[in-house]
Amino acid sequence: MRASDADRDRIADRLREALAEGRITPEEHAERIDALYRAKTYAELEPLVADLPDPDGPAPRPRADRVEGGDLPAPRRESASIVAVFGGADRRGRWLVEPTTTVLAAFGGVDLDFRTAVLSQRDVTVNVTCLFGGVSITVPPGVRVENSLSAVFGGVSLPDEDVLSPDAPVIRLTGVALFGGVQIERK
């Protein structure tokens, strides 16, 4: 039987939730979303969510000994705005990166670490406003950084691009550094 747009939207919501919960990686999410929008029948949709819990069924019960199996905890949901005025702020560990994150560093500093973060979608934007301050961003290998930051009496330092596949996750940097600096490093 042919699938409708509503059926695809329902599956896309389940995949987005699975990504947010840490059940699938950003790469798996991107692959499944691509397959989802190519699918024409229910038979093509079902394998995309077959290994995920049914939202209408009983929730799986967590076990205390799951850490040894390599399961990761769900990412923390935090505000999509990070503000450091005459102070500092950071975002590190396993946090959920919203489609757009806004950063303000005014006479202060912000540290963003994406190494264990979970991207809510394959392409996210970080909008930076840096006034007389600094923003330090750490990204893992295999993530593309696209810079559209403007610097006025400030600077932007980018790492060398590593070899990436065309469907690699993307972090887009937009905004301005005015009498401040933004440093991006790959570790």
Side-chain angles (χ1 to χ4, degrees), residues 16 26-27 42 52 55 88 91 96 105 112-113 116 126 154 156 164 181 185:
R16 189 171 20 262
E27 293 81 17
Y42 285 114
L52 301 175
R91 195 64 62 84
L96 180 65
L112 299 178
D113 190 340
T116 56
V126 178
V156 178
L164 301 171
E185 62 182 336

Side-chain angles (χ1 to χ4, degrees), residues 26-158:
E27 293 81 17
E28 290 173 307
H29 180 262
E31 290 169 9
R32 292 182 191 204
I33 288 292
D34 290 343
L36 170 69
Y37 288 109
R38 285 192 312 266
K40 292 181 176 56
T41 66
Y42 285 114
E44 293 171 302
L45 293 178
E46 185 54 38
L48 300 174
V49 292
D51 61 342
L52 301 175
D54 184 358
D56 300 325
R61 299 189 60 151
R63 294 181 3 201
D65 63 346
R66 284 207 120 147
V67 175
E68 74 182 43
D71 290 343
L72 295 172
R76 296 182 320 274
R77 282 194 178 267
E78 302 207 24
S79 171
S81 297
I82 303 166
V83 179
V85 178
F86 290 103
D90 68 359
R91 195 64 62 84
R92 63 185 71 248
R94 193 159 168 79
W95 57 287
L96 180 65
V97 182
E98 297 296 335
T100 301
T101 301
T102 304
V103 175
L104 170 63
F107 297 94
V110 174
D111 291 325
L112 299 178
D113 190 340
F114 288 92
R115 289 177 292 182
T116 56
V118 175
L119 304 181
S120 61
Q121 56 191 37
R122 192 178 69 172
D123 190 331
V124 297
T125 300
V126 178
N127 187 8
V128 175
T129 303
C130 182
L131 306 168
F132 296 95
V135 176
S136 174
I137 300 173
T138 305
V139 298
V143 173
R144 179 177 289 117
V145 177
E146 293 186 0
N147 178 36
S148 296
L149 282 164
S150 299
V152 180
F153 294 107
V156 178
S157 170
L158 290 167

